[in-house]
Structure formats: structure tokens, C-alpha cells
Amino acid sequence: MERERYLRQITLPGVGEEGQEKLLRSRVLVVGAGGLGAPVACYLAAAGVGTLGLVDDDVVKLSNLQRQILYRTEDLGRPKVEVARRQLLSLNPEVKVEVWRERFAEDNALSLVERFDVVVDATDNFFTRALLNRACVARSKPLVHGGVRNFAGEVMTVLPGSGPCLACLFPLESKAASAQTEGSSVLGPVPGVIGTLQAVEVLKYLLGLGELLVGRLLVYDALSATFHEVQVTRNPSCPVCSKF
Amino acid sequence: MRVEVRLFGGLEKFVKDVRFGEGFPVDLPEGGRVAELLDRLGIPPSQVFSVLINGRHASLADVLREGDRVALFPPLGGG
């Protein structure tokens, strides 16, 4: 371990070399390598999370560059996960980056989720989000949810069994949810704020520090420059997590 | 009866002088439902994706009670 690389966090109360070793042994799956996935993956790689998994089937497009800070103009047309791997390894050669250039779908959901310790929802549509939520609840994996739209965003951490899941919060399993929000408007740094908060949640979970956003939806509004917290409770008739 | 409402993600634009995420009181007839609350606020139901009553997922048909805390959200995007 390059101790100096992590010096500023090793010296934090509750982290130490032991915490750093823990991070280096950890495996985090980031589903979606876009506006949320970019800051999440950068901060987790920089922090020395030993293995990062990235799933995304897309290529870099010009309209991505306003917010997806992993990519450069010369990367246009290249597969996002390949560019992301190169960038992340250049940031920190001590970590491993495993990539899947495919959609997160019914046929790979469970096998992907079960390889990792924590999963990050950096998706851009409700269909994938619903699937991710079901897979994480089924395999009892922590899921750090993030979402953005226009000038606002939100974060919540799902610890299956001990707090509400995403289907307790949204009508994820209903037809209304199929109205996709992919391609919606967003101010570039807003996913930066939300993705950064997601990375913080992941590190806290892995290090066993502080209080997670379990049952607490943290909502950010750039226009009023405010954060608000909304309590969310488990739905006893939740179509997803009440079965587990 | 009086409920407390919080609007998120742009829904606050439908109500004059209401700020993102800040609670405000709304008076409704006894037995009023979430749909009637939206009607009172002038928020089209199509703009509301998620409803929480006292932190629990709810629908437009759910009946509200005195003192309920209602949070309304539009659909989310991402990536």
C-alpha cells in the first residue's frame, strides 16, 4: 500500500491503516457510468477502494461532457467503461477496475450484484433502478441510491432488512414508473454533488463510520442552495422488500 | 383539518411563495384525499411521481388525516 497516497484519510479518526486496508479489500459496483457514476467512481478509486465494478453499455457522446467528468472530447464515440477504466487506473493504479460493457438487465443483475460488497445506483431510468433495487434486496446488498433532475437531486442508502428500499419510496413496480426520465435536463454540477454524496455513503459504510442515510432521503436543491431531509419508513406491503 | 405539505424537485413552482422542501400548512375538508390536495394546490397529478404521507409511500386515492405530513416528488432523472 502506498501509505502516502492515503495519508490524509489514514490520519482521520476511525480510519487508520486498518480502515485503509479494509477499503483496499472492498468491492463496489457502480451501475451507470454517467453524471453520477463519474464522481462516484473517481472518489472511490482515489480513496483506494480495491475493486470497482462498472456497468454501462453506452459510448461517450458530446452531450455527456457537460457533466460526466471522467470523459474528454477525444473520447467521443469510445465505450464509456473502457475510457473510465483507463482514467481510474491512471488516477490510482493500486485499484482494480472490472468493467461490463452491457446493460444492467434481468439476465445479469443477480450475478453482478452478488460479486460486490456495496452497489451504487448511478442509473438514468426507472426500469434499471427497479431491477437494481430488486436484485440488491434479494441478495441483501447495500444500495446507495442517487438521482438528479433539473436543479435538484437526492440520495438515500438502502440496507435491505433494516430500512426502506427504493420501492418503499417510489412506485417503482408500477406502470407509471416506466415513463423513463433518461435524457432529462440537469445542471452539470448537480450530479457532481449527488454522486459525491453517494461516494461518501459508500466509504462510511465500508469503514463503519457515522450514520448512513437509511430511511432518510437527503434532497438537494441548487436553486435555493438548500438540503432537506425526508424521513422514509418501510412499507409493510412493499412489493419488493416486504417479501424478504 | 390541516396537513403539512413539502414540495420537491420543481413542484414548488406551482404554489405561490412556497420554497423547495419547506413545509407549509394546507386546510382540507375532513376525509380529503391526496388527489384533492393536489387539486387545491393546482399541481397536475401527472407531475407527481411519488407521494409520502408521514414517510410512508402513498397514492393519490389515500385519505389524509389531521396533522399528516405530506411530501410530493416529481419523477427523477439521472446519469
Side-chain angles (χ1 to χ4, degrees):
Chain A
M1 190 220 306
E2 291 176 308
R3 194 175 184 280
E4 191 184 346
R5 177 185 289 272
Y6 310 112
L7 190 61
R8 297 281 288 262
Q9 67 194 37
I10 286 176
T11 50
L12 282 170
V15 182
E17 296 210 7
E18 195 186 322
Q20 190 59 51
E21 295 287 354
K22 214 184 276 177
L23 293 182
L24 287 164
R25 286 192 306 270
S26 299
R27 300 174 53 84
V28 178
L29 178 67
V30 180
V31 180
L36 294 168
V40 171
C42 283
Y43 274 114
L44 295 182
V49 168
T51 305
L52 283 176
L54 287 178
V55 192
D56 200 306
D57 68 341
D58 217 353
V59 296
V60 179
K61 298 184 194 111
L62 191 56
S63 63
N64 298 154
L65 300 183
Q66 161 254 18
R67 65 196 180 287
Q68 300 182 13
I69 53 166
L70 268 173
Y71 313 118
R72 302 287 172 264
T73 303
E74 62 262 31
D75 299 322
L76 291 177
R78 296 196 184 128
K80 284 184 178 178
V81 291
E82 297 298 341
V83 180
R85 174 161 55 189
R86 190 190 69 215
Q87 294 277 83
L88 296 168
L89 291 176
S90 141
L91 170 61
N92 187 353
E94 286 206 330
V95 303
K96 267 176 52 186
V97 181
E98 300 175 359
V99 302
W100 287 267
R101 192 191 165 189
E102 54 196 75
R103 280 195 92 86
F104 186 85
E106 293 280 357
D107 58 353
N108 61 11
L110 291 173
S111 67
L112 278 171
V113 159
E114 62 198 9
R115 292 167 197 244
F116 291 87
D117 303 316
V118 186
V119 182
V120 178
D121 166 19
T123 60
D124 62 0
N125 67 82
F126 267 91
F127 177 78
T128 311
R129 201 163 262 149
L131 185 59
L132 189 54
N133 183 61
R134 285 200 300 272
C136 287
V137 169
R139 288 295 178 265
S140 207
K141 297 289 181 181
L143 172 65
V144 181
H145 157 69
V148 291
R149 184 172 183 257
N150 296 345
F151 298 99
E154 63 180 45
V155 191
M156 186 174 92
T157 297
V158 176
L159 284 188
S162 60
C165 78
L166 296 186
C168 297
L169 174 61
F170 305 118
L172 268 186
E173 302 296 316
S174 78
K175 280 208 173 137
S178 63
Q180 297 206 348
T181 45
E182 209 169 343
S184 58
S185 313
V186 68
L187 187 69
V190 170
V193 171
I194 298 300
T196 302
L197 289 170
Q198 290 178 281
V200 172
E201 284 289 287
V202 170
L203 294 176
K204 279 162 57 190
Y205 173 81
L206 294 172
L207 292 164
L209 291 176
E211 292 162 38
L212 295 168
L213 289 167
V214 175
R216 300 158 58 201
L217 182 73
L218 185 65
V219 190
Y220 169 63
D221 177 43
L223 290 181
S224 58
T226 52
F227 282 93
H228 294 271
E229 192 176 308
V230 182
Q231 300 298 318
V232 184
T233 54
R234 280 188 84 173
N235 176 357
S237 53
C238 174
V240 176
C241 73
S242 63
K243 297 175 198 157
F244 290 90
Chain B
M1 67 172 176
R2 177 167 280 196
V3 297
E4 192 201 56
V5 181
R6 296 168 82 189
L7 303 176
F8 296 91
L11 295 180
E12 73 280 5
K13 303 287 182 297
F14 288 98
V15 187
K16 197 170 177 287
D17 296 332
V18 161
R19 287 164 64 87
F20 185 107
E22 288 185 5
F24 61 98
V26 178
D27 291 316
L28 283 176
E30 290 300 322
R33 294 170 195 274
V34 177
E36 289 157 54
L37 172 67
L38 296 188
D39 191 48
R40 172 69 59 92
L41 296 174
I43 300 175
S46 61
Q47 301 290 308
V48 177
F49 180 63
S50 181
V51 181
L52 293 177
I53 302 176
N54 302 325
R56 184 165 290 180
H57 178 62
S59 74
L60 298 188
D62 282 321
V63 174
L64 293 163
R65 290 181 179 79
E66 171 72 28
D68 275 349
R69 287 169 295 118
V70 186
L72 302 173
F73 300 86
L76 263 192

